[in-house]
């Protein structure tokens, strides 16, 4: 394959993995957590399960040689894990205390907050066409998802914490990868056990506060266990692809193109769960897609603007990340073969 095309193919694969795994985990969690499904309403604890399985896969991968481990100061891993956990719990509490409309607005506000933090921390600037396309995406997704908006003090505070921590988490992923020249899955393998331990300790109490239900009282059926395992399996690919995407692109790009998942969820909800798809939803989705296409064009145009030099070859870090991901996926698929069943 032409060396200039390799990054494009691997970047597309990373985005596709993230979108498919993210949409898949949302569909699995909807069945697992909804009252019409298995009623497993322990979101924070479930996230702890996700990171526990991800950490286990990372440990096995390192032991078997599918990935390599580099040194990162423990205090930086601890700080990052604390920010990431605050992002998760903040989003959960925001969803519980706020209306769906305010919750969606808080998620949309992550994009401008990321842009602001990138400018403050790294001095990064954005062209007018990039800003216009970002606003188009946000407006389109807002038309799709935002309904009623009712603000209360506690809910607004939780939403602010969630937005700031989520933005800081996504910026820090890319910064740590560049600072220590560490692969995406290697970084995830180091942070996942810390996040799992803290979430599994705090999670049951946070979930009890949100739902007034104890995890010890939940009746685990075969169906519920199956969907928990499915959710955890998808979470491995979702977490890995998130780190891989942010390491290759930027936190802003990840947020903008990540809204494609919102569009996919709306469409699949209409197809699989008989959700209502209104004219307003369709117009909003169309605007969001146009904004995403415009954003991609604007970013590429900005890259070509300073110079029209020969196409850049893939960086060493990109090649390392791609090789690491391919080794890991081969290991996962090879490990999955004995458990396959015939239909």
């Amino acid at each position: 394959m032409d060396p200039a095309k390799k990054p494009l193919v691997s970047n597309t694969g990373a985005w596709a993995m993230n979108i498919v795994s993210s949409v898949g985990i949302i569909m699995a969690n909807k069945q697992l957590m909804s009252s019409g499904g298995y009623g497993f309403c322990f979101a924070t604890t479930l996230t702890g399960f996700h990171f526990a399985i991800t950490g286990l896969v990372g440990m096995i991968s390192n032991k078997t040689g599918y990935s390599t481990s580099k040194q990162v100061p423990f205090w930086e891993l601890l700080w990052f894990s604390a920010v990431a956990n605050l992002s998760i719990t903040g989003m959960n509490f925001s969803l519980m205390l706020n209306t769906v409309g305010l919750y969606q607005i808080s998620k949309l506000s992550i994009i401008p907050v990321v842009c602001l933090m990138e400018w403050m921390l790294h001095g990064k600037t954005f062209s007018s066409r990039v800003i216009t396309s970002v606003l188009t995406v946000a407006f389109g997704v807002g038309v799709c998802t935002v309904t009623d908006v009712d603000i209360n003090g506690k809910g607004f505070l939780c939403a602010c914490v969630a937005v700031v921590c989520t933005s800081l988490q996504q910026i820090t992923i890319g910064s740590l990868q560049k600072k220590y020249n560490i692969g995406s899955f290697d970084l995830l393998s180091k942070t996942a056990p810390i996040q799992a331990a803290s979430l599994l300790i705090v999670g049951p109490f946070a979930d009890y506060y949100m739902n007034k239900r104890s995890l010890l009282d939940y009746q685990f059926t075969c169906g519920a266990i199956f969907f928990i395992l499915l959710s955890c399996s998808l979470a491995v690919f979702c977490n890995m692809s998130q780190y891989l995407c942010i390491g290759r692109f930027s936190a802003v790009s990840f947020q903008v193109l990540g809204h494609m998942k919102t569009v996919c969820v709306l469409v699949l909800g209409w197809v699989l769960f008989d959700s209502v798809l209104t004219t307003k939803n369709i117009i909003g989705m169309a605007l969001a897609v146009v904004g995403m296409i415009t954003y991609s064009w604007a970013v590429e145009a900005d890259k070509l603007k300073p110079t029209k030099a020969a196409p850049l070859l893939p960086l060493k870090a990109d090649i390392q990340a791609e090789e690491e991901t391919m080794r890991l996926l081969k290991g996962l698929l090879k490990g999955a073969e004995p458990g396959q069943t015939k239909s």
Side-chain angles (χ1 to χ4, degrees), residues 67-85:
S67 60
T68 57
S69 180
K70 292 187 177 181
Q71 292 297 320
V72 179
F74 179 75
W75 71 267
E76 291 208 49
L77 297 177
L78 188 63
W79 178 84
F80 172 80
S81 299
V83 171
N85 286 349

Side-chain angles (χ1 to χ4, degrees), residues 324-335:
E324 176 187 331
T325 304
M326 292 304 298
R327 287 197 304 268
L328 177 65
L329 290 175
K330 287 179 182 178
L332 290 174
L333 293 173
K334 188 179 294 184

Side-chain angles (χ1 to χ4, degrees), residues 42-45 89 198-210:
F42 309 99
T44 309
T45 305
T89 53
S198 54
L199 286 173
L200 289 176
I201 293 172
V202 176
F205 298 100
D207 290 330
Y208 182 79
Y209 175 78
M210 287 192 288

Side-chain angles (χ1 to χ4, degrees), residues 55-73:
L56 179 62
V57 170
M59 183 183 68
I60 295 173
S61 177
N62 288 333
K63 293 293 184 182
T64 54
Y66 283 109
S67 60
T68 57
S69 180
K70 292 187 177 181
Q71 292 297 320
V72 179

Side-chain angles (χ1 to χ4, degrees), residues 178-238:
K178 291 175 183 177
K179 183 177 180 180
Y180 296 103
N181 192 27
I182 187 172
S184 55
F185 190 76
D186 188 12
L187 178 60
L188 178 61
S189 300
K190 293 180 181 301
T191 57
I194 302 173
Q195 290 183 252
S198 54
L199 286 173
L200 289 176
I201 293 172
V202 176
F205 298 100
D207 290 330
Y208 182 79
Y209 175 78
M210 287 192 288
N211 306 304
K212 304 303 179 186
R213 291 179 59 186
S214 172
L215 181 65
L216 298 176
D217 296 332
Y218 182 77
Q219 298 296 320
F220 287 89
T221 63
C222 292
I225 293 173
F226 170 79
F227 274 96
I228 289 173
L229 293 176
L230 176 61
S231 180
C232 290
S233 301
L234 290 169
V236 174
F237 291 97
C238 184

Side-chain angles (χ1 to χ4, degrees), residues 39-236:
F40 187 84
C41 56
F42 309 99
T44 309
T45 305
L46 180 62
T47 307
F49 292 158
H50 290 171
F51 281 109
I53 298 299
T54 302
L56 179 62
V57 170
M59 183 183 68
I60 295 173
S61 177
N62 288 333
K63 293 293 184 182
T64 54
Y66 283 109
S67 60
T68 57
S69 180
K70 292 187 177 181
Q71 292 297 320
V72 179
F74 179 75
W75 71 267
E76 291 208 49
L77 297 177
L78 188 63
W79 178 84
F80 172 80
S81 299
V83 171
N85 286 349
L86 279 174
S87 167
I88 294 167
T89 53
M91 281 296 181
N92 287 341
F93 277 98
S94 175
L95 183 59
M96 179 191 74
L97 297 172
N98 295 317
T99 62
V100 175
L102 183 58
Y103 175 74
Q104 291 295 342
I105 288 177
S106 68
K107 290 184 68 176
L108 290 175
S109 65
I110 292 174
I111 294 179
V113 172
V114 167
C115 292
L116 181 62
M117 284 188 172
E118 291 260 55
W119 172 70
M120 293 175 61
L121 297 175
H122 302 140
K124 187 173 182 179
T125 58
F126 303 92
S127 66
S128 58
R129 51 192 169 192
V130 168
I131 294 173
T132 302
S133 61
V134 166
L135 293 176
T136 304
V137 172
F139 182 75
V141 175
V143 170
C144 289
T145 58
V146 176
T147 53
D148 57 315
V149 178
D150 184 20
I151 299 177
N152 65 83
K154 289 183 179 179
F156 181 74
L157 179 61
C158 289
C160 290
V161 170
V163 169
V164 171
C165 290
T166 300
S167 303
L168 189 58
Q169 175 206 9
Q170 294 182 358
I171 292 173
T172 306
I173 290 174
S175 298
L176 287 176
Q177 286 186 246
K178 291 175 183 177
K179 183 177 180 180
Y180 296 103
N181 192 27
I182 187 172
S184 55
F185 190 76
D186 188 12
L187 178 60
L188 178 61
S189 300
K190 293 180 181 301
T191 57
I194 302 173
Q195 290 183 252
S198 54
L199 286 173
L200 289 176
I201 293 172
V202 176
F205 298 100
D207 290 330
Y208 182 79
Y209 175 78
M210 287 192 288
N211 306 304
K212 304 303 179 186
R213 291 179 59 186
S214 172
L215 181 65
L216 298 176
D217 296 332
Y218 182 77
Q219 298 296 320
F220 287 89
T221 63
C222 292
I225 293 173
F226 170 79
F227 274 96
I228 289 173
L229 293 176
L230 176 61
S231 180
C232 290
S233 301
L234 290 169
V236 174

